[in-house]
């Protein structure tokens, strides 16, 4: 049950890649829409036109994760980081460099409803001086050694209303 999305609108979605899948509970207004370019792979993008919000899940293969690790280690060769930390730092750096007035949070963790840890970070900023600030909530979780990047985007003014629901969406993720 969501607090600010339409009552009784929670639908469990089966999000599938070639050989893998997860479940996530989204409000019913979200439809799959891969024509928008807002996630790493743009394979599992969902939009809710009613609230002008976006959700995505990216499956990061082990081979792709090595590429992100190489990018990260080129910047800091002294410390070892988890795959979740690396992918979150990558998207934080990417968003931070592409938006105006960018600010970001410290990394935190939450647990899914199945007691699986999600590493989280958020970024705020706007695409140009004529847009409202956007709030980007990112999470990284691993299932069977594969990293998944979760993203929710909403107008910064609306995050105060939707933050509890965003956390419920993230916590609902489970491996199929």
């Amino acid at each position: 049950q969501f607090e600010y999305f339409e009552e009784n609108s929670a639908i469990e979605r089966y999000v599938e890649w070639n050989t893998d899948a997860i479940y996530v509970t989204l409000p019913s207004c979200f439809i799959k829409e891969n024509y928008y370019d807002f996630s790493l792979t743009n394979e599992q993008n969902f939009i809710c036109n009613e609230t002008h919000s976006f959700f995505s899940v990216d499956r990061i293969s082990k081979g792709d994760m090595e590429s992100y690790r190489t990018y990260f280690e080129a910047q800091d060769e002294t410390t070892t980081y988890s795959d979740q930390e690396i992918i979150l730092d990558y998207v934080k750096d990417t968003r931070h460099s592409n938006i105006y007035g960018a600010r970001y949070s410290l990394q935190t963790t939450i647990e899914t409803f199945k007691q699986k840890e999600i590493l989280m970070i958020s970024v705020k900023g706007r695409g140009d001086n004529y847009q409202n600030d956007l709030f980007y909530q990112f999470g990284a979780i691993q299932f069977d050694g594969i990293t998944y990047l979760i993203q929710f985007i909403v107008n910064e003014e609306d995050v105060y209303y939707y933050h509890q629901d965003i956390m419920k969406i993230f916590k609902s993720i489970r491996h199929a």
Side-chain angles (χ1 to χ4, degrees):
Q1 196 71 319
F2 295 112
E3 298 293 323
Y4 287 98
F5 283 102
E6 186 178 324
E7 195 172 328
N8 300 319
S9 71
I11 297 176
E12 187 171 62
R13 306 286 179 112
Y14 183 74
V15 181
E16 184 177 21
W17 293 268
N18 290 335
T19 59
D20 201 7
I22 62 160
Y23 288 100
V24 62
T25 301
L26 290 173
S28 59
C29 64
F30 279 88
I31 58 169
K32 188 170 180 184
E33 183 65 79
N34 292 337
Y35 298 109
Y36 288 88
D37 186 20
F38 64 88
S39 68
L40 289 180
T41 63
N42 293 308
E43 292 176 11
Q44 301 295 342
N45 292 350
F46 299 83
I47 63 170
C48 176
N49 288 317
E50 297 165 20
T51 60
H52 304 288
S53 52
F54 304 83
F55 175 81
S56 66
V57 180
D58 291 301
R59 181 184 186 275
I60 315 298
S61 71
K62 290 181 181 187
D64 288 345
M65 198 61 232
E66 284 305 311
S67 298
Y68 292 113
R69 182 172 293 286
T70 301
Y71 163 85
F72 193 82
E73 287 174 350
Q75 296 181 20
D76 181 359
E77 299 177 10
T78 61
T79 310
T80 303
Y81 295 93
S82 71
D83 289 350
Q84 292 105 310
E85 290 171 313
I86 289 169
I87 202 67
L88 286 182
D89 270 1
Y90 177 81
V91 296
K92 177 196 73 173
D93 290 349
T94 302
R95 284 288 182 214
H96 192 266
S97 66
N98 291 323
I99 57 179
Y100 294 95
R103 300 167 308 283
Y104 58 89
S105 70
L106 298 175
Q107 288 185 354
T108 60
T109 58
I110 62 169
E111 281 192 348
T112 67
F113 296 129
K114 299 284 186 182
Q115 283 70 53
K116 193 84 168 137
E117 187 176 275
I118 302 175
L119 190 60
M120 313 266 291
I121 197 164
S122 60
V123 177
K124 288 195 279 188
R126 61 187 174 283
D128 61 41
N129 287 327
Y130 303 103
Q131 293 179 335
N132 292 334
D133 279 0
L134 294 176
F135 177 83
Y136 301 85
Q137 181 69 65
F138 296 104
I141 189 169
Q142 277 196 332
F143 294 111
D144 299 331
I146 301 294
T147 302
Y148 297 83
L149 176 65
I150 312 154
Q151 176 182 214
F152 196 99
I153 306 169
V154 68
N155 280 321
E156 196 240 346
E157 296 167 352
D158 297 334
V159 75
Y160 303 106
Y161 302 106
Y162 291 112
H163 195 260
Q164 288 180 348
D165 290 343
I166 295 168
M167 292 300 103
K168 285 182 182 177
I169 291 167
F170 279 41
K171 288 179 177 185
S172 75
I173 291 180
R174 64 186 175 89
H175 199 247

